[in-house]
Amino acid sequence: MNYRWKMITAKLAMQIALLCFVVFLAFPLVWMLSTSLKPSPEIYSRVPTSIPKEPTLANYRVAFGQQDLLTGISNSFKIGVFSTIAVLILTVPAAYALVRYKTALNKSVMAWVLVSQLFPSILIIIPLFVVLRNLALTNSHVGITLVYTVWSVPFVLWMLRSYVMSIPIELEEAAYIDGANRTQVLTRVVFPLLIPGIVASGLFAFVSAWNEFFFALVLLKTPRLTTLPVYLSRFTGSEGMTRLGPLAASCLVATIPTLVVFTFLQKGLVSGLMSGAVKQ
């Protein structure tokens, strides 16, 4: 009876801790939703309120009308998707080659990958701008996509390398013994087991491109080409006065695409764990 009571208490404490954690994560979204529905006098009131007394959609009309928020969302989503695809195309075979093919250059490559993460973006923006200008790629989505791709490749390569190292080489050797060729081993054994790593790395690359502000601010000058973070910065006036209502509405809308991407791709984090060589 004492053991059963301890188990019930432990489960109850776990559920309470989980509930507190969910509330902690959801609070910014709930507060942002509440702020987006408040009129300006209520937002700047000395007594904060969690539920709007006079809900209004004026902040959303400002966000979609005056700032053309949908254009920024479309630009960021397009750039994020294409840069993520480019990053994965480059890093998946590179990570596999670095792990499976032992050469004298492997350590040098991984050392350079780590060193490249030490350079701040402010340090490389001038030479990067000069290179893109010489290639006629400034103020274009192609140029900013290339920048995000190059910026994300080192970290994504490091992540995927760890996933490849976790795949036992014996699985590939067994497939070769069963008569599989290199292509079959990669497509039926290695790739399915790499799906969790590919999804996690792709999410990192997408979110990195989605949230990036500095490169987009410097390299994109035409308003219709700017990304979502640059659009959000326009809610801060020249004197530092922030329009909190439209900003909250815009941030809430900007959060939806990333939530949708995570919802659809989170299944990939689990789908590859029990698939691959064991099922083939």
Side-chain angles (χ1 to χ4, degrees), residues 174-240:
Y176 285 125
I177 294 175
D178 290 339
N181 55 35
R182 169 62 66 179
T183 302
Q184 290 173 330
V185 170
L186 293 177
T187 56
R188 296 185 180 183
V189 179
V190 177
F191 183 76
L193 295 175
L194 274 180
I195 289 179
I198 292 174
V199 172
S201 304
L203 288 175
F204 168 81
F206 178 82
V207 173
S208 177
W210 180 267
N211 293 329
E212 204 284 322
F213 172 77
F214 182 66
F215 288 133
L217 179 65
V218 175
L219 299 177
L220 299 176
K221 294 302 181 182
T222 304
R224 62 180 180 83
L225 296 178
T226 52
T227 57
L228 182 60
V230 179
Y231 273 90
L232 295 181
S233 67
R234 295 175 180 174
F235 291 104
T236 300
S238 58
E239 298 179 356

Side-chain angles (χ1 to χ4, degrees), residues 162-185:
S162 300
Y163 276 95
V164 175
M165 291 176 64
S166 66
I167 300 177
I169 189 64
E170 290 78 11
L171 291 177
E172 299 179 41
E173 294 174 348
Y176 285 125
I177 294 175
D178 290 339
N181 55 35
R182 169 62 66 179
T183 302
Q184 290 173 330
V185 170

